[in-house]
Amino acid sequence: MSDTRLMWVTEVHNFGGFFGGDTVTLSAASWPDGEESTLTIDEKALDNIQARHAVSPEMLLELTFSGERIDRARLLAARERAVLNEALGPSPLATTLSGPSIRAYHCATCRLWVVGPPATENGSRRCGLCQHPLP
């Protein structure tokens, strides 16, 4: 049985592990406020993060666990827009899009850049993390 947790990356220890490999080892705390633990994520588990070297502190990840193993790691938000953009990789070319696209938005309440468009409810935009209204 799998469970999903939001984890705030506090420190990245290494890339590749002891014998090389395709992993990233980091410390992360349950978000918004939780206990810190050390985790190892295999590069194959990275969902929307272009490479394990792009994982850095002050990122919010959605991790899907099967026991102790992480099956999926998806970037939800980051403190800095540049960090988020580097992790997501290049934006799609405008010529390949069928219409305007929102890559990320800033939530002043969370103080984070959140991936994707904000949630819309009754014509009002809300942060997908904290549910507070956006300007």
Side-chain angles (χ1 to χ4, degrees):
M1 182 164 182
S2 64
D3 75 292
T4 302
R5 296 178 230 162
L6 302 185
M7 302 291 288
W8 180 253
V9 179
T10 56
E11 182 179 0
V12 174
H13 301 290
N14 66 57
F15 300 102
F18 186 71
F19 292 108
D22 296 329
T23 62
V24 57
T25 302
L26 53 88
S27 290
S30 295
W31 191 80
D33 51 355
E35 211 169 296
E36 189 172 87
S37 57
T38 301
L39 306 167
T40 300
I41 303 171
D42 189 76
E43 189 167 41
K44 289 182 260 178
L46 300 178
D47 185 334
N48 62 347
I49 302 170
Q50 69 172 345
R52 69 185 189 281
H53 297 288
V55 176
S56 67
E58 298 198 324
M59 284 183 163
L60 180 63
L61 303 177
E62 179 184 66
L63 302 178
T64 303
F65 290 82
S66 287
E68 294 294 314
R69 186 183 76 234
I70 298 170
D71 288 334
R72 182 173 174 246
R74 188 167 69 96
L75 176 62
L76 295 181
R79 182 79 58 214
E80 299 295 327
R81 175 82 187 237
V83 169
L84 184 125
N85 285 338
E86 184 177 332
L88 293 175
S91 298
L93 296 174
T95 57
T96 63
L97 297 173
S98 60
S101 175
I102 296 175
R103 183 173 176 99
Y105 61 92
H106 188 262
C107 175
T109 304
C110 293
R111 297 183 326 176
L112 296 173
W113 284 94
V114 182
V115 176
T120 304
E121 184 180 304
N122 298 326
S124 173
R125 297 179 326 145
R126 295 189 170 275
C127 174
L129 297 174
C130 70
Q131 304 306 312
H132 279 88
L134 297 171

